[in-house]
Amino acid sequence: MVTNIDTRLLGRNVSFTVSEPWLAYWLVIMRLAVGWWMLHAGLDKFLAWPFDAGWFVGGAAAGTSLGPLVTLFSEGVALSFVNVMVPLGQTLIGLGLLFGALTRLAAFFGAVLMTFFYFINGETGGWEHGLVTGDLLGLLIFAMIATLGAGRVLGVDAYLARSSVFKNHPKLQWFIG
C-alpha cells in the first residue's frame, strides 16, 4: 500500500508518498540499532565484571523523584540482584530486539530501564541543556518498536505469531511484536 501525503512544511506545499515496505525496513533498522545498543551495554558490563550499580541506585538516585523506589535496591541482597539483572536484562533486551523475538516484551523492559535512566540522570544534571536527552530518545524508540510490531518484520515473532501456542493463547500475543 502506498500513502500519499499532501501537507505544508515551512510555508510550502509538500507532497510525497510513503510505501509500507519502506516503513517496514525502517522498523527493522531501528530494532537492530537499539538491539545492538542494549546488547553492547549488557556485554560491556559482563566483560568488566564485577558490575556494581551501587553508585547509581544508592548514590545518583538519592534525592530524585524515583529515589524512594530505587534506593530500596542500594544494599545487600537487593543490590546483588540489581548487579546481575541490569547486565543480564540489557543483554536479553538486545538479543530479543536483534532477533525480533518477544520484541514487545524486550521493548517494554527497555522502556522501563530508559525511564529510570531518564529521570535519575536528568534530575542529577542531565536536563541542564533541555529535557530531550539520549535517554528520552531511547525511551521513545522502545515505545515505537513495541507499538508498531517491529518483531514481525524479518524477526522470530512472525513465526511465533503463526505457531499454535500463540494462536491458542491470545494473551501471549502481548509479548510478541
Side-chain angles (χ1 to χ4, degrees), residues 2-21:
V2 175
T3 302
N4 292 317
I5 298 176
D6 297 310
T7 188
R8 290 186 60 80
L9 181 65
L10 301 174
R12 301 182 80 185
N13 290 330
V14 178
S15 179
F16 59 95
T17 60
V18 178
S19 64
E20 286 181 6

Side-chain angles (χ1 to χ4, degrees), residues 110-167:
V112 169
L113 280 178
M114 287 291 108
T115 300
F116 283 114
F117 297 158
Y118 177 71
F119 283 101
I120 294 170
N121 290 334
E123 292 178 26
T124 57
W127 292 337
E128 289 178 5
H129 301 289
L131 296 176
V132 179
T133 65
D135 297 328
L136 178 61
L137 295 176
L139 173 62
L140 294 173
I141 292 171
F142 279 120
M144 177 191 70
I145 289 169
T147 306
L148 297 178
R152 294 178 196 233
V153 182
L154 298 176
V156 173
D157 286 350
Y159 300 103
L160 292 176
R162 293 190 301 264
S163 73
S164 60
V165 172
F166 282 84
K167 284 183 178 179

Side-chain angles (χ1 to χ4, degrees), residues 22-99:
W22 286 110
L23 294 175
Y25 294 140
W26 180 248
L27 281 176
V28 171
I29 290 168
M30 295 306 295
R31 193 187 82 219
L32 293 175
V34 175
W36 173 251
W37 178 37
M38 281 288 113
L39 179 63
H40 186 266
L43 291 178
D44 274 353
K45 289 173 182 65
F46 278 126
L47 292 174
W49 198 260
F51 172 70
D52 183 17
W55 68 272
F56 188 76
V57 296
T64 66
S65 59
L66 296 177
L69 172 66
V70 175
T71 55
L72 293 173
F73 296 91
S74 64
E75 53 189 35
V77 175
L79 179 58
S80 296
F81 176 76
V82 170
N83 287 340
V84 172
M85 289 311 296
V86 167
L88 181 62
Q90 287 178 327
T91 302
L92 291 174
I93 290 166
L95 289 171
L97 294 177
L98 284 174
F99 289 104

